[in-house]
PDB file of all heavy atoms in Angstrom:
ATOM      1  N   ALA A   1      19.564   7.873   3.626  1.00 85.00           N
ATOM      2  CA  ALA A   1      20.477   7.341   2.635  1.00 85.00           C
ATOM      3  C   ALA A   1      20.757   5.875   2.790  1.00 85.00           C
ATOM      4  O   ALA A   1      20.912   5.151   1.875  1.00 85.00           O
ATOM      5  CB  ALA A   1      21.702   8.021   2.614  1.00 85.00           C
ATOM      6  N   PHE A   2      20.784   5.405   4.038  1.00 83.00           N
ATOM      7  CA  PHE A   2      21.271   4.108   4.343  1.00 83.00           C
ATOM      8  C   PHE A   2      20.082   3.213   4.777  1.00 83.00           C
ATOM      9  O   PHE A   2      20.300   1.969   5.141  1.00 83.00           O
ATOM     10  CB  PHE A   2      22.359   4.027   5.287  1.00 83.00           C
ATOM     11  CG  PHE A   2      23.692   4.669   4.714  1.00 83.00           C
ATOM     12  CD1 PHE A   2      23.892   6.024   5.068  1.00 83.00           C
ATOM     13  CD2 PHE A   2      24.416   4.081   3.871  1.00 83.00           C
ATOM     14  CE1 PHE A   2      25.042   6.623   4.635  1.00 83.00           C
ATOM     15  CE2 PHE A   2      25.626   4.721   3.360  1.00 83.00           C
ATOM     16  CZ  PHE A   2      25.818   6.018   3.714  1.00 83.00           C
ATOM     17  N   GLY A   3      18.928   3.711   5.120  1.00 75.00           N
ATOM     18  CA  GLY A   3      17.811   2.936   5.631  1.00 75.00           C
ATOM     19  C   GLY A   3      17.145   2.067   4.459  1.00 75.00           C
ATOM     20  O   GLY A   3      17.618   2.133   3.383  1.00 75.00           O
ATOM     21  N   ARG A   4      16.130   1.519   4.918  1.00 69.00           N
ATOM     22  CA  ARG A   4      15.458   0.633   3.969  1.00 69.00           C
ATOM     23  C   ARG A   4      14.785   1.389   2.910  1.00 69.00           C
ATOM     24  O   ARG A   4      14.152   2.399   3.180  1.00 69.00           O
ATOM     25  CB  ARG A   4      14.274  -0.149   4.746  1.00 69.00           C
ATOM     26  CG  ARG A   4      13.618  -1.295   3.888  1.00 69.00           C
ATOM     27  CD  ARG A   4      12.404  -1.798   4.693  1.00 69.00           C
ATOM     28  NE  ARG A   4      12.904  -2.512   5.974  1.00 69.00           N
ATOM     29  CZ  ARG A   4      13.425  -3.716   6.041  1.00 69.00           C
ATOM     30  NH1 ARG A   4      13.499  -4.456   4.874  1.00 69.00           N
ATOM     31  NH2 ARG A   4      13.873  -4.271   7.126  1.00 69.00           N
ATOM     32  N   ALA A   5      14.877   0.940   1.600  1.00 63.00           N
ATOM     33  CA  ALA A   5      14.399   1.510   0.612  1.00 63.00           C
ATOM     34  C   ALA A   5      12.848   1.231   0.645  1.00 63.00           C
ATOM     35  O   ALA A   5      12.479   0.350   1.037  1.00 63.00           O
ATOM     36  CB  ALA A   5      14.860   0.924  -0.840  1.00 63.00           C
ATOM     37  N   ARG A   6      12.093   2.297   0.194  1.00 58.00           N
ATOM     38  CA  ARG A   6      10.584   2.194   0.386  1.00 58.00           C
ATOM     39  C   ARG A   6       9.935   1.684  -0.910  1.00 58.00           C
ATOM     40  O   ARG A   6      10.512   1.849  -2.007  1.00 58.00           O
ATOM     41  CB  ARG A   6       9.968   3.635   0.541  1.00 58.00           C
ATOM     42  CG  ARG A   6      10.531   4.217   1.881  1.00 58.00           C
ATOM     43  CD  ARG A   6      10.209   5.726   1.914  1.00 58.00           C
ATOM     44  NE  ARG A   6      10.646   6.277   3.135  1.00 58.00           N
ATOM     45  CZ  ARG A   6      10.137   6.346   4.300  1.00 58.00           C
ATOM     46  NH1 ARG A   6       8.865   5.900   4.474  1.00 58.00           N
ATOM     47  NH2 ARG A   6      10.695   6.947   5.283  1.00 58.00           N
ATOM     48  N   THR A   7       8.892   0.887  -0.696  1.00 50.00           N
ATOM     49  CA  THR A   7       8.116   0.354  -1.785  1.00 50.00           C
ATOM     50  C   THR A   7       6.781   0.925  -1.846  1.00 50.00           C
ATOM     51  O   THR A   7       6.383   1.640  -0.851  1.00 50.00           O
ATOM     52  CB  THR A   7       8.015  -1.200  -1.597  1.00 50.00           C
ATOM     53  OG1 THR A   7       7.250  -1.461  -0.569  1.00 50.00           O
ATOM     54  CG2 THR A   7       9.352  -1.808  -1.772  1.00 50.00           C
ATOM     55  N   ASN A   8       5.996   0.673  -2.818  1.00 48.00           N
ATOM     56  CA  ASN A   8       4.567   1.342  -2.815  1.00 48.00           C
ATOM     57  C   ASN A   8       3.702   0.611  -1.769  1.00 48.00           C
ATOM     58  O   ASN A   8       3.921  -0.585  -1.284  1.00 48.00           O
ATOM     59  CB  ASN A   8       3.960   0.978  -4.190  1.00 48.00           C
ATOM     60  CG  ASN A   8       3.869  -0.514  -4.481  1.00 48.00           C
ATOM     61  OD1 ASN A   8       4.971  -1.243  -4.558  1.00 48.00           O
ATOM     62  ND2 ASN A   8       2.719  -1.102  -4.666  1.00 48.00           N
ATOM     63  N   SER A   9       2.747   1.369  -1.201  1.00 43.00           N
ATOM     64  CA  SER A   9       2.039   1.002  -0.160  1.00 43.00           C
ATOM     65  C   SER A   9       1.128  -0.145  -0.431  1.00 43.00           C
ATOM     66  O   SER A   9       0.699  -0.964   0.597  1.00 43.00           O
ATOM     67  CB  SER A   9       1.061   2.086   0.317  1.00 43.00           C
ATOM     68  OG  SER A   9       0.277   2.549  -0.727  1.00 43.00           O
ATOM     69  N   GLY A  10       0.843  -0.604  -1.671  1.00 40.00           N
ATOM     70  CA  GLY A  10      -0.020  -1.675  -1.871  1.00 40.00           C
ATOM     71  C   GLY A  10       0.797  -2.936  -2.271  1.00 40.00           C
ATOM     72  O   GLY A  10       0.191  -3.943  -2.722  1.00 40.00           O
ATOM     73  N   ALA A  11       2.153  -2.949  -2.149  1.00 41.00           N
ATOM     74  CA  ALA A  11       2.912  -4.073  -2.469  1.00 41.00           C
ATOM     75  C   ALA A  11       2.838  -5.139  -1.514  1.00 41.00           C
ATOM     76  O   ALA A  11       2.586  -4.932  -0.292  1.00 41.00           O
ATOM     77  CB  ALA A  11       4.289  -3.605  -2.594  1.00 41.00           C
ATOM     78  N   THR A  12       3.074  -6.355  -1.944  1.00 36.00           N
ATOM     79  CA  THR A  12       3.072  -7.564  -1.053  1.00 36.00           C
ATOM     80  C   THR A  12       4.474  -8.118  -1.123  1.00 36.00           C
ATOM     81  O   THR A  12       5.064  -8.419  -2.165  1.00 36.00           O
ATOM     82  CB  THR A  12       2.130  -8.535  -1.572  1.00 36.00           C
ATOM     83  OG1 THR A  12       0.853  -8.020  -1.592  1.00 36.00           O
ATOM     84  CG2 THR A  12       2.026  -9.795  -0.614  1.00 36.00           C
ATOM     85  N   ALA A  13       5.122  -8.251   0.098  1.00 39.00           N
ATOM     86  CA  ALA A  13       6.409  -8.798   0.218  1.00 39.00           C
ATOM     87  C   ALA A  13       6.432 -10.310   0.225  1.00 39.00           C
ATOM     88  O   ALA A  13       5.604 -10.892   0.797  1.00 39.00           O
ATOM     89  CB  ALA A  13       7.031  -8.438   1.590  1.00 39.00           C
ATOM     90  N   ILE A  14       7.228 -10.969  -0.675  1.00 36.00           N
ATOM     91  CA  ILE A  14       7.183 -12.441  -0.863  1.00 36.00           C
ATOM     92  C   ILE A  14       8.707 -12.826  -0.672  1.00 36.00           C
ATOM     93  O   ILE A  14       9.563 -12.282  -1.307  1.00 36.00           O
ATOM     94  CB  ILE A  14       6.731 -12.796  -2.271  1.00 36.00           C
ATOM     95  CG1 ILE A  14       5.295 -12.358  -2.540  1.00 36.00           C
ATOM     96  CG2 ILE A  14       6.917 -14.297  -2.474  1.00 36.00           C
ATOM     97  CD1 ILE A  14       4.755 -12.741  -3.864  1.00 36.00           C
ATOM     98  N   THR A  15       8.915 -13.722   0.294  1.00 39.00           N
ATOM     99  CA  THR A  15      10.268 -14.192   0.677  1.00 39.00           C
ATOM    100  C   THR A  15      10.419 -15.522  -0.147  1.00 39.00           C
ATOM    101  O   THR A  15       9.547 -16.509   0.080  1.00 39.00           O
ATOM    102  CB  THR A  15      10.424 -14.441   2.068  1.00 39.00           C
ATOM    103  OG1 THR A  15      10.250 -13.123   2.622  1.00 39.00           O
ATOM    104  CG2 THR A  15      11.823 -14.920   2.415  1.00 39.00           C
ATOM    105  N   VAL A  16      11.503 -15.724  -0.824  1.00 40.00           N
ATOM    106  CA  VAL A  16      11.746 -16.915  -1.582  1.00 40.00           C
ATOM    107  C   VAL A  16      12.829 -17.614  -0.873  1.00 40.00           C
ATOM    108  O   VAL A  16      13.965 -17.007  -0.736  1.00 40.00           O
ATOM    109  CB  VAL A  16      12.246 -16.659  -3.080  1.00 40.00           C
ATOM    110  CG1 VAL A  16      12.449 -18.039  -3.849  1.00 40.00           C
ATOM    111  CG2 VAL A  16      11.066 -15.861  -3.731  1.00 40.00           C
ATOM    112  N   THR A  17      12.642 -18.865  -0.398  1.00 43.00           N
ATOM    113  CA  THR A  17      13.633 -19.575   0.460  1.00 43.00           C
ATOM    114  C   THR A  17      13.850 -20.847  -0.309  1.00 43.00           C
ATOM    115  O   THR A  17      13.198 -21.207  -1.365  1.00 43.00           O
ATOM    116  CB  THR A  17      13.176 -19.815   1.880  1.00 43.00           C
ATOM    117  OG1 THR A  17      12.006 -20.749   1.808  1.00 43.00           O
ATOM    118  CG2 THR A  17      12.820 -18.517   2.545  1.00 43.00           C
ATOM    119  N   GLU A  18      14.750 -21.680   0.263  1.00 44.00           N
ATOM    120  CA  GLU A  18      15.044 -22.988  -0.306  1.00 44.00           C
ATOM    121  C   GLU A  18      13.864 -23.882  -0.208  1.00 44.00           C
ATOM    122  O   GLU A  18      13.642 -24.778  -1.103  1.00 44.00           O
ATOM    123  CB  GLU A  18      16.161 -23.579   0.354  1.00 44.00           C
ATOM    124  CG  GLU A  18      17.589 -22.915   0.214  1.00 44.00           C
ATOM    125  CD  GLU A  18      18.722 -23.647   0.969  1.00 44.00           C
ATOM    126  OE1 GLU A  18      18.446 -24.359   1.867  1.00 44.00           O
ATOM    127  OE2 GLU A  18      19.827 -23.209   0.645  1.00 44.00           O
ATOM    128  N   ASP A  19      12.942 -23.747   0.756  1.00 46.00           N
ATOM    129  CA  ASP A  19      11.926 -24.603   0.935  1.00 46.00           C
ATOM    130  C   ASP A  19      10.548 -24.191   0.179  1.00 46.00           C
ATOM    131  O   ASP A  19       9.658 -24.857   0.149  1.00 46.00           O
ATOM    132  CB  ASP A  19      11.519 -24.652   2.407  1.00 46.00           C
ATOM    133  CG  ASP A  19      12.630 -25.180   3.291  1.00 46.00           C
ATOM    134  OD1 ASP A  19      13.394 -26.051   2.750  1.00 46.00           O
ATOM    135  OD2 ASP A  19      12.762 -24.771   4.406  1.00 46.00           O
ATOM    136  N   GLY A  20      10.664 -23.082  -0.335  1.00 44.00           N
ATOM    137  CA  GLY A  20       9.507 -22.572  -1.035  1.00 44.00           C
ATOM    138  C   GLY A  20       9.244 -20.998  -0.974  1.00 44.00           C
ATOM    139  O   GLY A  20      10.108 -20.314  -0.602  1.00 44.00           O
ATOM    140  N   VAL A  21       8.111 -20.672  -1.185  1.00 42.00           N
ATOM    141  CA  VAL A  21       7.757 -19.228  -1.163  1.00 42.00           C
ATOM    142  C   VAL A  21       6.819 -18.930  -0.047  1.00 42.00           C
ATOM    143  O   VAL A  21       5.777 -19.639   0.085  1.00 42.00           O
ATOM    144  CB  VAL A  21       6.989 -18.829  -2.546  1.00 42.00           C
ATOM    145  CG1 VAL A  21       6.626 -17.400  -2.458  1.00 42.00           C
ATOM    146  CG2 VAL A  21       7.896 -19.104  -3.747  1.00 42.00           C
ATOM    147  N   THR A  22       7.201 -18.045   0.823  1.00 42.00           N
ATOM    148  CA  THR A  22       6.379 -17.583   1.959  1.00 42.00           C
ATOM    149  C   THR A  22       5.967 -16.102   1.823  1.00 42.00           C
ATOM    150  O   THR A  22       6.777 -15.272   1.830  1.00 42.00           O
ATOM    151  CB  THR A  22       7.143 -17.982   3.220  1.00 42.00           C
ATOM    152  OG1 THR A  22       7.615 -19.187   3.389  1.00 42.00           O
ATOM    153  CG2 THR A  22       6.145 -17.510   4.538  1.00 42.00           C
ATOM    154  N   GLU A  23       4.628 -15.807   1.764  1.00 40.00           N
ATOM    155  CA  GLU A  23       4.251 -14.481   1.538  1.00 40.00           C
ATOM    156  C   GLU A  23       4.202 -13.786   2.884  1.00 40.00           C
ATOM    157  O   GLU A  23       3.764 -14.262   3.842  1.00 40.00           O
ATOM    158  CB  GLU A  23       2.667 -14.440   1.033  1.00 40.00           C
ATOM    159  CG  GLU A  23       2.325 -13.031   0.621  1.00 40.00           C
ATOM    160  CD  GLU A  23       1.026 -13.097  -0.108  1.00 40.00           C
ATOM    161  OE1 GLU A  23       0.840 -14.058  -0.849  1.00 40.00           O
ATOM    162  OE2 GLU A  23       0.230 -12.212   0.102  1.00 40.00           O
ATOM    163  N   GLY A  24       4.844 -12.516   2.886  1.00 42.00           N
ATOM    164  CA  GLY A  24       4.858 -11.749   4.095  1.00 42.00           C
ATOM    165  C   GLY A  24       5.898 -12.161   5.066  1.00 42.00           C
ATOM    166  O   GLY A  24       5.903 -11.701   6.169  1.00 42.00           O
ATOM    167  N   ALA A  25       6.715 -13.078   4.780  1.00 39.00           N
ATOM    168  CA  ALA A  25       7.707 -13.520   5.716  1.00 39.00           C
ATOM    169  C   ALA A  25       8.894 -12.470   5.805  1.00 39.00           C
ATOM    170  O   ALA A  25       9.147 -11.787   4.843  1.00 39.00           O
ATOM    171  CB  ALA A  25       8.371 -14.879   5.400  1.00 39.00           C
ATOM    172  N   PRO A  26       9.561 -12.443   6.985  1.00 41.00           N
ATOM    173  CA  PRO A  26      10.786 -11.439   7.000  1.00 41.00           C
ATOM    174  C   PRO A  26      11.859 -11.946   6.106  1.00 41.00           C
ATOM    175  O   PRO A  26      12.005 -13.011   5.737  1.00 41.00           O
ATOM    176  CB  PRO A  26      11.168 -11.616   8.559  1.00 41.00           C
ATOM    177  CG  PRO A  26      10.606 -12.968   9.011  1.00 41.00           C
ATOM    178  CD  PRO A  26       9.427 -13.188   8.165  1.00 41.00           C
ATOM    179  N   ALA A  27      12.632 -10.840   5.652  1.00 40.00           N
ATOM    180  CA  ALA A  27      13.684 -11.050   4.620  1.00 40.00           C
ATOM    181  C   ALA A  27      14.972 -11.378   5.258  1.00 40.00           C
ATOM    182  O   ALA A  27      15.954 -11.592   4.523  1.00 40.00           O
ATOM    183  CB  ALA A  27      13.777  -9.851   3.729  1.00 40.00           C
ATOM    184  N   VAL A  28      15.143 -11.495   6.478  1.00 40.00           N
ATOM    185  CA  VAL A  28      16.444 -11.700   7.131  1.00 40.00           C
ATOM    186  C   VAL A  28      17.006 -13.021   6.576  1.00 40.00           C
ATOM    187  O   VAL A  28      18.126 -13.122   6.218  1.00 40.00           O
ATOM    188  CB  VAL A  28      16.316 -11.685   8.651  1.00 40.00           C
ATOM    189  CG1 VAL A  28      17.719 -11.955   9.277  1.00 40.00           C
ATOM    190  CG2 VAL A  28      15.852 -10.245   8.989  1.00 40.00           C
ATOM    191  N   ALA A  29      16.177 -14.125   6.734  1.00 38.00           N
ATOM    192  CA  ALA A  29      16.745 -15.474   6.440  1.00 38.00           C
ATOM    193  C   ALA A  29      16.475 -15.854   4.982  1.00 38.00           C
ATOM    194  O   ALA A  29      16.622 -16.969   4.602  1.00 38.00           O
ATOM    195  CB  ALA A  29      16.087 -16.424   7.214  1.00 38.00           C
ATOM    196  N   ALA A  30      16.095 -15.000   4.134  1.00 40.00           N
ATOM    197  CA  ALA A  30      15.645 -15.231   2.766  1.00 40.00           C
ATOM    198  C   ALA A  30      16.846 -15.264   1.808  1.00 40.00           C
ATOM    199  O   ALA A  30      17.830 -14.681   1.978  1.00 40.00           O
ATOM    200  CB  ALA A  30      14.645 -14.152   2.297  1.00 40.00           C
ATOM    201  N   LYS A  31      16.774 -16.218   0.831  1.00 39.00           N
ATOM    202  CA  LYS A  31      17.746 -16.265  -0.182  1.00 39.00           C
ATOM    203  C   LYS A  31      17.526 -14.948  -1.123  1.00 39.00           C
ATOM    204  O   LYS A  31      18.543 -14.422  -1.552  1.00 39.00           O
ATOM    205  CB  LYS A  31      17.605 -17.529  -1.067  1.00 39.00           C
ATOM    206  CG  LYS A  31      17.934 -18.721  -0.262  1.00 39.00           C
ATOM    207  CD  LYS A  31      19.352 -18.804  -0.115  1.00 39.00           C
ATOM    208  CE  LYS A  31      19.756 -20.165   0.561  1.00 39.00           C
ATOM    209  NZ  LYS A  31      21.172 -20.314   0.887  1.00 39.00           N
ATOM    210  N   ALA A  32      16.306 -14.588  -1.369  1.00 41.00           N
ATOM    211  CA  ALA A  32      16.008 -13.478  -2.261  1.00 41.00           C
ATOM    212  C   ALA A  32      14.690 -12.977  -1.770  1.00 41.00           C
ATOM    213  O   ALA A  32      13.802 -13.689  -1.402  1.00 41.00           O
ATOM    214  CB  ALA A  32      16.006 -13.708  -3.686  1.00 41.00           C
ATOM    215  N   THR A  33      14.428 -11.689  -1.839  1.00 43.00           N
ATOM    216  CA  THR A  33      13.170 -11.067  -1.515  1.00 43.00           C
ATOM    217  C   THR A  33      12.675 -10.320  -2.693  1.00 43.00           C
ATOM    218  O   THR A  33      13.347  -9.564  -3.225  1.00 43.00           O
ATOM    219  CB  THR A  33      13.194 -10.153  -0.293  1.00 43.00           C
ATOM    220  OG1 THR A  33      13.773 -10.924   0.787  1.00 43.00           O
ATOM    221  CG2 THR A  33      11.835  -9.602   0.028  1.00 43.00           C
ATOM    222  N   VAL A  34      11.423 -10.489  -3.123  1.00 44.00           N
ATOM    223  CA  VAL A  34      10.955  -9.712  -4.210  1.00 44.00           C
ATOM    224  C   VAL A  34       9.539  -9.049  -3.749  1.00 44.00           C
ATOM    225  O   VAL A  34       9.010  -9.433  -2.774  1.00 44.00           O
ATOM    226  CB  VAL A  34      10.565 -10.616  -5.410  1.00 44.00           C
ATOM    227  CG1 VAL A  34      11.924 -11.272  -5.990  1.00 44.00           C
ATOM    228  CG2 VAL A  34       9.596 -11.732  -5.014  1.00 44.00           C
ATOM    229  N   THR A  35       9.100  -8.070  -4.547  1.00 43.00           N
ATOM    230  CA  THR A  35       7.879  -7.368  -4.229  1.00 43.00           C
ATOM    231  C   THR A  35       6.963  -7.457  -5.505  1.00 43.00           C
ATOM    232  O   THR A  35       7.423  -7.168  -6.557  1.00 43.00           O
ATOM    233  CB  THR A  35       8.183  -5.957  -3.865  1.00 43.00           C
ATOM    234  OG1 THR A  35       9.072  -5.929  -2.725  1.00 43.00           O
ATOM    235  CG2 THR A  35       6.815  -5.143  -3.594  1.00 43.00           C
ATOM    236  N   VAL A  36       5.735  -7.891  -5.188  1.00 42.00           N
ATOM    237  CA  VAL A  36       4.778  -7.863  -6.267  1.00 42.00           C
ATOM    238  C   VAL A  36       3.966  -6.602  -6.172  1.00 42.00           C
ATOM    239  O   VAL A  36       3.261  -6.430  -5.232  1.00 42.00           O
ATOM    240  CB  VAL A  36       3.863  -9.095  -6.244  1.00 42.00           C
ATOM    241  CG1 VAL A  36       2.856  -9.130  -7.303  1.00 42.00           C
ATOM    242  CG2 VAL A  36       4.670 -10.363  -6.339  1.00 42.00           C
ATOM    243  N   GLY A  37       4.074  -5.770  -7.272  1.00 42.00           N
ATOM    244  CA  GLY A  37       3.277  -4.397  -7.124  1.00 42.00           C
ATOM    245  C   GLY A  37       1.786  -4.776  -7.474  1.00 42.00           C
ATOM    246  O   GLY A  37       1.339  -5.821  -7.969  1.00 42.00           O
ATOM    247  N   SER A  38       0.963  -3.724  -7.055  1.00 41.00           N
ATOM    248  CA  SER A  38      -0.511  -3.865  -7.138  1.00 41.00           C
ATOM    249  C   SER A  38      -0.951  -3.231  -8.451  1.00 41.00           C
ATOM    250  O   SER A  38      -1.594  -3.906  -9.337  1.00 41.00           O
ATOM    251  CB  SER A  38      -1.123  -3.301  -6.005  1.00 41.00           C
ATOM    252  OG  SER A  38      -0.693  -2.002  -5.792  1.00 41.00           O
ATOM    253  N   SER A  39      -0.773  -1.852  -8.603  1.00 41.00           N
ATOM    254  CA  SER A  39      -1.174  -1.175  -9.775  1.00 41.00           C
ATOM    255  C   SER A  39      -0.326   0.068  -9.941  1.00 41.00           C
ATOM    256  O   SER A  39       0.130   0.542  -8.909  1.00 41.00           O
ATOM    257  CB  SER A  39      -2.619  -0.999  -9.792  1.00 41.00           C
ATOM    258  OG  SER A  39      -3.030  -0.113  -8.724  1.00 41.00           O
ATOM    259  N   GLY A  40      -0.316   0.617 -11.131  1.00 41.00           N
ATOM    260  CA  GLY A  40       0.350   1.973 -11.199  1.00 41.00           C
ATOM    261  C   GLY A  40       1.078   1.935 -12.507  1.00 41.00           C
ATOM    262  O   GLY A  40       1.041   1.060 -13.254  1.00 41.00           O
ATOM    263  N   SER A  41       1.836   3.058 -12.816  1.00 42.00           N
ATOM    264  CA  SER A  41       2.520   3.218 -13.986  1.00 42.00           C
ATOM    265  C   SER A  41       4.013   3.201 -13.813  1.00 42.00           C
ATOM    266  O   SER A  41       4.745   2.872 -14.835  1.00 42.00           O
ATOM    267  CB  SER A  41       2.107   4.544 -14.644  1.00 42.00           C
ATOM    268  OG  SER A  41       2.377   5.664 -13.709  1.00 42.00           O
ATOM    269  N   GLY A  42       4.623   3.478 -12.664  1.00 43.00           N
ATOM    270  CA  GLY A  42       6.021   3.556 -12.432  1.00 43.00           C
ATOM    271  C   GLY A  42       6.522   2.328 -11.895  1.00 43.00           C
ATOM    272  O   GLY A  42       6.032   1.857 -10.870  1.00 43.00           O
TER     273      GLY A  42
END
């Protein structure tokens, strides 16, 4: 219930910071974290 929400196995984590975009960086120091999906319907 309180753990990390799961994403699709083919997703790529992208961290957006004040300095730019870093792919695969940890989300702890990020301003926002987004996930770019690979393929699928849902």
